[in-house]
Amino acid sequence: PSTAEQTVQASREQPASMQALRGHRPACRAQSRALSTIKPAGRRMQCLCTAQPQPEPGNQQQQKLLAGVLGRGDQPVGSAHGEGFELLLPSGRVTRLDVDSLNEKLKHTGAARLRNAQAPDQAYGLIFNFDHLVTDTRHMLATAWGALAAEKGLPCPSDTSYLLEKGPPERVITNVLGWTQDMKVVRELCWDLSKHMIEALATPPPPVPGLRGWLELASSYNLPCAAVTTLDRATARRTCERLQLHDHFNLLITAEDEQETQAQALLAAAMRLQRPPDHCLFFDDTPSGITAAHNVSMKAVGMIRRGVMPAWKLRQADLTLACLSELNVVNVRRIFANSGTEFGKDLAKQISNEGPPRKRRAAIGTL
């Protein structure tokens, strides 16, 4: 007999219980999965709907996350105009939230405006660069590069800080250091680099001078504080706990938020703080961070760090400091004091009540 006839004959010879089971329709998808995974006797029976994957070890999972973060490289500054987000509404229409619309939507009105009149300090928000001020990830990454070169016996310059400006680790290994062109070996070296980065994060360097006291002062005046970082959320929280700063920040903008530029990260922090971008103050020690803050209508404070960033490179900041202990809440008010009287970016659009100057006509008698 043919194969089809053998199949029909075998189905007729099955017991009634199996035929009833074949004709039964499960009530839910989980039951159908359970019925489809029944195996012959003598083997272990397992249901797919109840089976759960084995969790990875904590150190290995952290290394996997950190390797993905390091592979992205530094965030770009962002566009000078029109930086924002696109939202998909339930109706299917796509709307865009740019800097001007966020300043308008997050403006305090009603009871919030009256509350800010009684306590004007609460109207502002403070945003810090986690990678540069809370802890120095640049120093830790440079140390990880040196440890990787010493472990593998590869040539590496004594000063590895310049490697941080050359792009992601894959580009540094292939183009800058010239260790190898085999991408399989490159991925293994990047994996080892993340391992050394985790070891460096175990003992993070201390924050900038005066940061802890300034955060405590800001919390006493109910000033909300946020931090933006390129690290993953678990690593950032663990670093805050080791520095005993985990209860000083209201929120963290991390790599899981998937912000493409620094300007978008700052806008996301302002939205979650429920403060307009033009009422936020950003603390950083790099010219790119100060430029990103000004692009989204924020004020910027430049931190002068000896051996890291000279003062003349931070001259575009609204205020430059060598130590945060020199700053108080009154200085924050003074930074935003002339916000309503500043000219816009395009002076040609300023409204003037004066008319055009009259042209004097020359006559024969006036010459």
Side-chain angles (χ1 to χ4, degrees), residues 236-246:
R237 288 181 176 177
R238 194 176 297 109
T239 305
C240 285
E241 292 176 358
R242 289 169 180 168
L243 295 173
Q244 298 180 359
L245 294 174
H246 54 280

Side-chain angles (χ1 to χ4, degrees), residues 9 24 34 75 79 88 90 92 127 150 162 165 174 235 237 241 309 312 328 332 344 346 358:
Q9 184 177 1
H24 174 68
Q75 287 182 334
S79 59
L88 180 62
I127 306 175
Y162 81 98
E165 304 175 357
T174 55
T235 304
R237 288 181 176 177
E241 292 176 358
M309 189 61 60
W312 63 271
N328 52 33
V332 177
D346 191 359
R358 295 182 178 179

Side-chain angles (χ1 to χ4, degrees), residues 52-362:
Q52 303 199 1
Q54 295 294 331
E56 295 182 353
N59 195 11
Q60 186 178 1
Q61 187 176 8
Q62 183 186 6
Q63 186 177 356
K64 183 178 180 180
L65 293 173
L66 196 58
V69 170
L70 293 178
R72 300 174 187 173
D74 296 334
Q75 287 182 334
V77 175
S79 59
H81 300 280
E83 193 72 44
F85 305 96
E86 290 185 353
L87 300 179
L88 180 62
L89 300 180
S91 60
R93 187 170 59 89
V94 178
T95 181
R96 181 174 177 81
L97 289 177
D98 55 359
V99 179
D100 296 333
S101 61
L102 286 177
N103 284 327
E104 185 67 25
K105 292 179 180 297
L106 296 177
K107 183 185 298 183
H108 289 169
T109 57
R113 185 178 63 85
L114 298 177
R115 184 174 60 251
N116 295 335
Q118 300 295 328
D121 302 321
Q122 300 181 11
Y124 307 115
L126 306 180
I127 306 175
F128 297 85
N129 193 324
F130 187 91
D131 300 336
H132 300 164
L133 303 183
V134 180
T135 184
D136 195 356
T137 57
R138 297 168 296 188
H139 174 72
M140 291 186 287
L141 185 56
T143 305
W145 277 112
L148 177 64
E151 180 187 6
K152 302 296 183 180
L154 297 172
C156 184
S158 57
D159 186 12
T160 57
S161 58
Y162 81 98
L163 298 177
L164 310 181
E165 304 175 357
K166 302 300 181 181
E170 292 86 353
R171 185 180 302 172
V172 173
I173 293 174
T174 55
N175 299 339
V176 180
L177 296 175
W179 285 349
T180 181
Q181 297 295 329
D182 188 0
M183 292 307 300
K184 181 179 180 180
V185 180
V186 169
R187 285 190 291 268
E188 293 177 356
L189 291 174
C190 293
W191 182 260
D192 295 337
L193 178 65
S194 62
K195 180 186 66 175
H196 291 289
M197 186 66 179
I198 292 176
E199 296 176 357
L201 285 169
T203 56
V208 294
L211 177 63
R212 190 182 307 274
W214 171 242
L215 290 176
E216 294 175 356
L217 180 64
S219 62
S220 64
Y221 282 89
N222 295 328
L223 278 169
C225 300
V228 294
T229 177
T230 56
L231 300 174
D232 58 282
R233 191 174 303 275
T235 304
R237 288 181 176 177
R238 194 176 297 109
T239 305
C240 285
E241 292 176 358
R242 289 169 180 168
L243 295 173
Q244 298 180 359
L245 294 174
H246 54 280
D247 55 345
H248 289 76
F249 294 103
N250 298 82
L251 59 96
L252 292 174
I253 302 297
T254 59
E256 280 84 356
D257 295 314
E258 298 181 353
Q259 305 300 328
E260 298 179 357
T261 61
Q262 298 182 31
Q264 288 186 3
L266 295 179
L267 288 178
M271 291 174 61
R272 295 181 61 179
L273 286 177
Q274 294 297 316
R275 298 293 187 274
D278 56 2
H279 279 60
C280 293
L281 184 62
F282 182 55
F283 294 80
D284 200 1
D285 62 348
T286 58
S288 60
I290 295 173
T291 303
H294 286 166
N295 287 348
V296 293
S297 71
M298 291 186 183
K299 302 294 183 180
V301 174
M303 296 300 301
I304 304 172
R305 305 185 66 181
R306 182 174 299 178
V308 178
M309 189 61 60
W312 63 271
K313 289 187 177 181
L314 302 175
R315 59 181 180 270
Q316 59 177 340
D318 299 286
L319 182 66
T320 54
L321 296 172
C323 180
L324 283 174
S325 59
E326 305 173 2
L327 188 66
N328 52 33
V329 181
V330 178
N331 300 129
V332 177
R333 297 182 190 176
R334 290 177 179 175
I335 292 175
F336 292 95
N338 59 343
S339 297
T341 59
E342 288 181 343
F343 287 100
K345 295 181 180 179
D346 191 359
L347 299 181
K349 294 182 180 179
Q350 298 297 324
I351 300 176
S352 177
N353 296 327
E354 298 180 0
R358 295 182 178 179
K359 296 182 180 180
R360 185 179 179 182
R361 296 181 180 180

